[in-house]
Amino acid sequence: MRLNKQIICASDRPGSGSFRPIAMSEGEAPPHHEPRVLIVDDEYFVAWHLEALLQDLEFDVCDIAGDCESAVKSAIDFTPDLILMDVNLGGGPDGVETVRRIFQRRQVPVIFITAYTDEANLTRIRQAAPAAAILSKPVSPEVLQAAVRRALPREGG
């Protein structure tokens, strides 16, 4: 059974503050003011750090996923405006394959954040997502902010 009547943002999950369900009709885009970002990284301390940086920049982190299946589901369910994607997701499909699977369902800007910047990985990333930015880990807040702002220019700013 799929819930189509509400979307709950990850920053609203129990234990992380307030809980704000957003009432929606099936097929309706979620009303939001801040751009919604999906973080995909199997290292949760890294993901939580990215979440904090994005929240400081007034972006809404709609979910954190640690593997391919969760990322694809979240990209469909939460309709993010941007995805921050790690390349190495531990076992199973990596971040490049995950982006390919997401792009089969919907197009969304992607920023790869990875420690794996060898030529073979860069070539795979460019083939899967030619417009994606590629940032090296560890990423500084300033570099992340600049990449996110390029990927998601805000209206009037």
Side-chain angles (χ1 to χ4, degrees):
M1 179 175 154
R2 274 188 86 185
L3 295 176
N4 290 322
K5 293 295 179 188
Q6 63 175 263
I7 289 183
I8 301 166
C9 184
S11 62
D12 301 329
R13 61 187 179 261
S16 66
S18 64
F19 176 82
R20 299 177 308 197
I22 302 170
M24 294 179 52
S25 300
E26 188 169 336
E28 179 183 1
H32 60 279
H33 300 285
E34 297 86 18
R36 298 163 55 85
V37 182
L38 169 63
I39 298 171
V40 184
D41 198 309
D42 63 327
E43 296 179 38
Y44 282 96
F45 286 113
V46 171
W48 293 331
H49 177 68
L50 291 171
E51 178 181 36
L53 292 174
L54 289 168
Q55 288 172 342
D56 287 346
L57 298 171
E58 298 183 356
F59 290 95
D60 182 17
V61 176
C62 60
D63 201 12
I64 295 173
D67 59 58
C68 179
E69 277 186 45
S70 300
V72 173
K73 182 174 181 353
S74 293
I76 294 164
D77 291 349
F78 293 108
T79 60
D81 299 300
L82 175 67
I83 298 173
L84 299 186
M85 179 68 67
D86 185 20
V87 171
N88 183 1
L89 297 178
D94 70 1
V96 178
E97 177 60 25
T98 300
V99 165
R100 281 191 188 107
R101 293 180 187 187
I102 290 169
F103 282 3
Q104 289 174 353
R105 304 293 292 272
R106 63 183 299 264
Q107 293 294 306
V108 59
V110 175
I111 297 173
F112 282 92
I113 302 177
T114 182
Y116 298 90
T117 56
D118 58 274
E119 195 56 42
N121 273 318
L122 294 176
T123 299
R124 291 180 61 236
I125 291 169
R126 287 186 199 111
Q127 289 172 344
I134 304 168
L135 306 180
S136 295
K137 281 185 177 179
V139 64
S140 73
E142 297 79 19
V143 169
L144 178 64
Q145 179 179 7
V148 169
R149 298 253 187 253
R150 276 192 305 275
L152 290 176
R154 293 188 184 204
E155 292 180 21

